[in-house]
Amino acid sequence: MIKRIRKLYRNKFWSSEKRATFLGVKIGYGCDIQAVSFGSEPYLIEKGNHVQITKGTKFFTHGAAWVLREKYPDIDFFGKIRVGDNVYIGNSALILAGVTIGSNVIIAAGSVVTKSVSDNQIVGGNPAKIIGNIEEFEKSILPFNLKTKGKSFSEKREILLSLNENRFIKK
């Protein structure tokens, strides 16, 4: 009973970063971790500095040994997951065992990352594939920089609703 109360307290009052550290995840400074699942071996996960991991992302440090357990009853395998510096992982991404994500990387929402990602890449899809690089991304979005970071909700709303259509990114 006390264990359940402690767990409820941690989930309600601790930040996601504090909970992750408590579970054994190694986290650098300046990170933003939202509602994330670190799986059953969170101590095998390491994050660099300035990493944002958004809601619904899941990390898997093992898996699929079940299909061999009748033949090998004690089989189990694991893979460490490492995330470099200055990384953004979009909503509901799945990161599989043994993956290393380099620095200056964007993982698109909903991606299934089955292989390591080198520095300065943007990946997306299932399975995740390279869809661009950070330099191209920077060039494409700078003309749309509206400099609203740090503005209040109402200030940002007022600015965004007053703009012409050509100030918004179109795909």
Side-chain angles (χ1 to χ4, degrees), residues 104-118:
N104 302 310
V105 169
I106 297 172
I107 307 291
S111 296
V112 180
V113 184
T114 61
K115 296 183 178 168
S116 293
V117 179
S118 59

Side-chain angles (χ1 to χ4, degrees), residues 22-153:
F22 173 79
L23 294 172
V25 178
K26 293 177 189 83
I27 300 175
Y29 67 86
C31 294
D32 176 17
I33 299 171
Q34 297 167 18
V36 172
S37 171
F38 292 108
S40 55
E41 297 83 28
Y43 44 83
L44 296 178
I45 302 169
E46 184 177 323
K47 315 243 175 298
N49 301 319
H50 196 252
V51 173
Q52 184 177 36
I53 306 169
T54 58
K55 187 176 180 180
T57 296
K58 295 181 181 180
F59 292 85
F60 300 92
T61 55
H62 72 282
W66 179 263
V67 299
L68 299 174
R69 289 240 170 93
E70 282 192 35
K71 190 172 183 179
Y72 307 99
D74 62 350
I75 192 168
D76 234 350
F77 70 92
F78 301 90
K80 291 183 177 184
I81 298 173
R82 292 187 172 91
V83 178
D85 297 331
N86 199 39
V87 173
Y88 173 83
I89 301 176
N91 284 27
S92 301
L94 306 178
I95 315 297
L96 274 53
V99 166
T100 296
I101 297 171
S103 294
N104 302 310
V105 169
I106 297 172
I107 307 291
S111 296
V112 180
V113 184
T114 61
K115 296 183 178 168
S116 293
V117 179
S118 59
D119 293 349
N120 303 306
Q121 298 297 314
I122 301 171
V123 300
N126 179 6
K129 303 228 183 284
I130 295 172
I131 57 176
N133 66 53
I134 297 300
E135 188 176 302
E136 292 167 354
F137 175 69
E138 181 180 1
K139 286 179 186 174
S140 72
I141 66 162
L142 277 179
F144 298 98
N145 182 7
L146 300 174
K147 300 182 180 177
T148 59
K149 186 69 180 166
K151 302 273 187 203
S152 71
F153 175 84

